[in-house]
Amino acid sequence: MSKTLESPRNHQTLKIIKSAITSRLLLLSLILLWRTLIDPYDTSSPLDPNCLSTDHQQQERHVIQFPRIGSAIEDSIVWDSVYFVRIAQCGYEYEQTYAFLPLLPACVVLLSRTVLVPLVSVIGHRAVLALAGYLVNNVAFVLAAVYFYRVSVIILKDPEAAFQASILFCFNPASIFYSSIYTESLYALLSLGGLYYLISGASNVAVLWFALSGCARSNGVLNAGYLCFQTMHQAYDAVFLQKRAHLAVKVLIVGALRCICIFIPFIAYQAYGYYNICHGHSLDEMRPWCKAKIPLLYSYIQSHYWGVGFLRYFQLKQLPNFLLASPILSLAVCSVLHYVRSQPEIFFSLGFRASNGEKRPTASPLSLDRVPESNSSHLKEKSSAKMQDKYTVRQRKQRIKGDNYVLLDEYDSLEKPRYLSTFIVPCTLHLLFMAATAFFVMHVQVSTRFLSASPPLYWFASHLLISPGTGKRWGYMIWTYSTVYILLGSLLFSNFYPFT
């Protein structure tokens, strides 16, 4: 890439970093403000009972130099943060704690025992754990914003639209959770980073990032869908374009192994829970889920302790929670419908057909084929000849990387809005599945933070903002929504009042 193109992009990246840091400082300032002005609803957060296991006994009590500062930090441990800090402190003590995956507690423990260990005698062990959680998540958010911009630039092919979408992400309605001891920041970083490396051609690196996202949140395993989409298109290219059936078999096997790798951490975590809770007990002593043919601890906990299940939240008393989630769900539905109506052929054919109904002329988006480098030039010439004879569309760019080549889709007309790019198909399907799950299965108010890391939301919103005529009106509505939820979230959540 030329320096003239690289320099503006680096400048925009720095602006994204500044915006992400500014948004985090704003959230932390609001948290301090509301905690000062309003008494919390629940004052049990400072309670610190001894660990049940002797292996995780608390560190020796030190004479804390600044107990008031430590107490203030501990008071900020609210809602699910209590579980994450407790797990970091004492490990998994109770069955319900296994609903909280281990990546965030592991990062907290690592940071508290290395960089922040001198602060134990200053503010106390539990306060250091909380401080480590805040540092991990706020730094992870800034990095997630950078990856969001990089992904958006590649997919939208429009730096200005990518920048607009990234700013919206920096000030998203679920911002309070990205600055708290929650898993949203780590999940967003690993998911967006994995997507970036996938579309950049580093599939193995992407698998690692996606697998780690499954250690942060259970829905991280859904990122395997991107690998499935890639594998499906690679197999198509191998059979119909290269006429090499054996290559298609190889592609399918490699794709399946990559998807399995993404699931392995989550499956290993379930096995860990089974070993701790079920192993060594008689049938009469076992928990009900231990006796199931497929003993899934996570799904049992969600159902038994939190009442999560299909249509179980459809009750009249939950109407306020549905209203609370309605803006993000409406935005998700509108973004999906807009893409489907604009590109029905591409969407329903999963990117195999063009908007005019013709078969796509070359390999499809998110496609990375491993071929010998010596054959790459021959494939390019052959593809170019076909394009000139049979199609009136531009040839796809082929970028050589070692023994790989990445095919970047340029089939779409340059006059077409970048938001309608074929690359958005797997991202839109991912958003659609998550939105349906949030509405029909989960506690619906969680939708705001559950969907907040989905890029199509912000791509659609940026598309509305830059649309001629209606952009100003939509911009006012979108920014008002984000502002209200940032203020409301920082007020309610930080004081232990219910939010999302």
Side-chain angles (χ1 to χ4, degrees):
M1 184 178 293
S2 65
K3 292 183 178 180
T4 56
L5 292 176
E6 196 68 38
S7 180
R9 182 171 299 182
N10 290 336
H11 178 67
Q12 294 289 68
T13 300
L14 288 176
K15 292 174 69 174
I16 294 298
I17 293 174
K18 291 179 181 178
S19 298
I21 294 174
T22 300
S23 68
R24 294 314 95 194
L25 293 176
L26 173 63
L27 261 295
L28 293 174
S29 300
L30 286 173
I31 291 173
L32 291 175
L33 174 65
W34 299 133
R35 292 287 299 189
T36 303
L37 297 179
I38 300 175
D39 293 328
Y41 175 76
D42 191 327
T43 57
S44 63
S45 56
L47 296 179
D48 186 20
N50 291 327
C51 299
L52 296 181
S53 172
T54 56
D55 297 332
H56 295 89
Q57 287 296 338
Q58 290 177 312
Q59 296 184 359
E60 294 181 7
R61 300 287 181 176
H62 297 277
V63 177
I64 301 175
Q65 299 177 20
F66 298 97
R68 294 185 64 180
I69 296 178
S71 177
I73 294 176
E74 290 188 40
D75 287 346
S76 68
I77 304 174
V78 296
W79 294 107
D80 290 354
S81 303
V82 175
Y83 287 98
F84 288 115
V85 172
R86 183 68 178 182
I87 293 168
Q89 185 178 12
C90 302
Y92 288 91
E93 299 178 297
Y94 304 99
E95 186 178 63
Q96 63 266 35
T97 60
Y98 285 87
F100 304 93
L101 274 68
L103 184 59
L104 177 57
C107 292
V108 168
V109 170
L110 178 63
L111 193 59
S112 65
R113 292 183 180 179
T114 53
V115 179
L116 300 181
V117 69
L119 295 179
V120 172
S121 61
V122 179
I123 58 177
H125 181 230
R126 191 164 181 261
V128 167
L129 291 174
L131 184 61
Y134 285 119
L135 286 175
V136 167
N137 284 336
N138 283 277
V139 171
F141 177 80
V142 175
L143 296 176
V146 172
Y147 277 110
F148 184 96
Y149 175 70
R150 290 179 178 179
V151 170
S152 300
V153 167
I154 294 174
I155 292 182
L156 300 182
K157 307 172 189 173
D158 184 345
E160 182 59 33
F163 180 77
Q164 290 270 9
S166 301
I167 294 297
L168 289 171
F169 175 72
C170 289
F171 296 91
N172 73 75
S175 286
I176 181 62
F177 299 102
Y178 289 88
S179 287
S180 302
I181 310 175
Y182 268 59
T183 54
E184 270 64 28
S185 290
L186 279 176
Y187 168 78
L189 170 60
L190 295 168
S191 296
L192 293 170
L195 186 56
Y196 169 75
Y197 288 114
L198 182 65
I199 61 181
S200 299
S203 296
N204 292 331
V205 178
V207 169
L208 176 61
W209 284 61
F210 286 151
L212 289 174
S213 73
C215 296
R217 294 186 61 86
S218 60
N219 53 295
V221 299
L222 296 178
N223 289 321
Y226 294 119
L227 270 298
C228 293
F229 186 87
Q230 180 200 56
T231 301
M232 182 173 58
H233 281 266
Q234 287 178 342
Y236 175 90
D237 296 341
V239 173
F240 295 101
L241 300 180
Q242 302 180 40
K243 308 297 183 182
R244 298 166 65 186
H246 68 281
L247 178 60
V249 174
K250 179 183 177 181
V251 163
L252 292 173
I253 293 175
V254 171
L257 291 176
R258 285 173 174 168
C259 290
I260 290 172
C261 288
I262 295 175
F263 278 89
I264 282 177
F266 184 76
I267 295 173
Y269 178 65
Q270 299 302 297
Y272 171 74
Y274 181 88
Y275 179 82
N276 287 343
I277 298 175
C278 306
H279 182 70
H281 296 279
S282 64
L283 287 175
D284 295 335
E285 297 174 334
M286 282 186 179
R287 299 288 293 155
W289 67 272
C290 296
K291 305 173 187 178
K293 292 182 179 180
I294 303 178
L296 290 178
L297 171 59
Y298 185 83
S299 59
Y300 173 80
I301 291 173
Q302 291 291 340
S303 176
H304 181 74
Y305 291 98
W306 278 274
V308 173
F310 184 65
L311 300 182
R312 290 178 66 175
Y313 217 61
F314 278 60
Q315 305 174 32
L316 185 61
K317 64 180 181 180
Q318 301 298 347
L319 182 59
N321 288 324
F322 277 90
L323 294 176
L324 188 65
S326 60
I328 195 73
L329 290 173
S330 299
L331 187 61
V333 170
C334 288
S335 65
V336 173
L337 289 179
H338 177 77
Y339 187 80
V340 172
R341 290 175 178 175
S342 302
Q343 301 293 332
E345 289 284 348
I346 294 176
F347 183 83
F348 290 111
S349 68
L350 300 180
F352 285 106
R353 302 186 72 85
S355 57
N356 58 4
E358 296 179 342
K359 292 182 179 180
R360 299 190 65 79
T362 57
S364 296
L366 293 183
S367 179
L368 175 65
D369 300 302
R370 295 188 66 87
V371 295
E373 186 176 1
S374 60
N375 293 336
S376 59
S377 60
H378 171 70
L379 289 174
K380 284 195 289 184
E381 292 173 3
K382 185 176 179 181
S383 175
S384 178
K386 274 189 176 180
M387 297 278 285
Q388 292 173 1
D389 292 339
K390 297 184 178 180
Y391 302 98
T392 58
V393 296
R394 298 183 63 188
Q395 182 184 4
R396 285 180 164 191
K397 288 182 179 178
Q398 298 185 358
R399 177 161 53 89
I400 306 299
K401 273 195 173 184
D403 62 345
N404 298 336
Y405 67 87
V406 184
L407 297 177
L408 300 179
D409 184 17
E410 288 195 356
Y411 184 78
D412 297 320
S413 169
L414 292 177
E415 288 75 23
K416 184 186 299 182
R418 303 302 190 267
Y419 172 69
L420 303 181
S421 168
T422 309
F423 284 90
I424 300 180
V425 172
C427 302
T428 302
L429 291 173
H430 184 273
L431 171 62
L432 179 61
F433 182 84
M434 295 223 334
T437 302
F439 183 75
F440 291 108
V441 179
M442 300 171 60
H443 292 185
V444 72
Q445 68 269 26
V446 179
S447 301
T448 303
R449 60 186 175 93
F450 185 65
L451 302 178
S452 61
S454 296
L457 289 175
Y458 307 99
W459 295 336
F460 175 64
S462 68
H463 172 71
L464 293 177
L465 292 179
I466 62 178
S467 296
T470 60
K472 187 175 181 180
R473 182 185 65 184
W474 281 110
Y476 175 79
M477 293 176 62
I478 290 171
W479 280 111
T480 299
Y481 164 50
S482 294
T483 302
V484 169
Y485 270 60
I486 287 174
L487 294 174
L488 193 63
S490 60
L491 169 64
L492 297 177
F493 178 84
S494 61
N495 287 289
F496 230 131
Y497 289 92
F499 181 51
T500 66

